[in-house]
Amino acid sequence: MIHFLFVAGWMLLDNVIMQLFPNSYLVEGLMFFSCLGYCAMVLTLRTLPTIDSILFAFLFGFLFDFCFANMFLLHAFVYVFLAILIRIWSKYMDNTLIEAIILAIVTLFVKDVVVYVYMCFQLDHIIDFFVWVQRYELKSILMAVVGMIVVYYFY
């Protein structure tokens, strides 16, 4: 229960940040998404048993789809895939800040690439991959580094 409240609290803070700094969806505009809730989920998934982490990831992926992304079950299944990756990778990692940052960056990049590829197949996202990396992904990764430091401090 405490893990649920921890991640939900960071996701609510994400929502506040996104309301204070809205995105411009123009190609030239600034576009980033706060990922404090995602970083909290990555830290939490490392400590839970495998089945619990998969269910936890599905629940928060479903909540993310419902509250933020307006997609049905896309992030839920992507978060389950990432929970499995995190469980595999965390067997070989310690609980240091540097390794938590690396895990957050790699899984965030994998998550965003999977969503980008899905959007391209649905013809919902017609933007060049390198423009997408430049305009969106680099800012998200930098925010993930800062976010993981903050969340790791409170974890």
Side-chain angles (χ1 to χ4, degrees), residues 4-17:
F4 178 82
L5 294 175
F6 179 73
V7 177
W10 286 108
M11 286 184 99
L12 285 174
L13 186 60
D14 276 344
N15 195 9
V16 169
I17 291 171

Side-chain angles (χ1 to χ4, degrees), residues 36-138:
L36 297 173
Y38 180 78
C39 293
M41 189 184 70
V42 167
L43 284 175
T44 304
L45 291 178
R46 292 177 71 182
T47 61
L48 294 175
T50 304
I51 297 297
D52 292 344
S53 65
I54 290 172
L55 292 174
F56 194 82
F58 183 82
L59 172 70
F60 276 102
F62 183 76
L63 287 175
F64 186 83
D65 282 335
F66 183 70
C67 297
F68 297 108
N70 295 328
M71 298 177 192
F72 184 66
L73 294 179
L74 173 64
H75 286 91
F77 291 126
V78 171
Y79 281 11
V80 167
F81 173 69
L82 292 176
I84 294 168
L85 284 179
I86 289 170
R87 295 299 305 155
I88 291 170
W89 289 340
S90 64
K91 292 178 185 177
Y92 305 105
M93 300 177 91
D94 290 330
N95 287 328
T96 63
L97 176 62
I98 299 297
E99 291 175 345
I101 289 172
I102 291 170
L103 188 64
I105 289 172
V106 169
T107 56
L108 181 68
F109 184 75
V110 169
K111 174 188 77 87
D112 288 341
V113 166
V114 168
V115 172
Y116 175 81
V117 168
Y118 173 79
M119 299 278 256
C120 286
F121 280 131
Q122 294 295 322
L123 298 176
D124 193 26
H125 194 352
I126 303 171
I127 188 170
D128 186 44
F129 180 76
F130 295 109
V131 172
W132 172 77
V133 167
Q134 176 188 9
R135 302 281 180 187
Y136 170 73
E137 191 61 28
L138 291 176

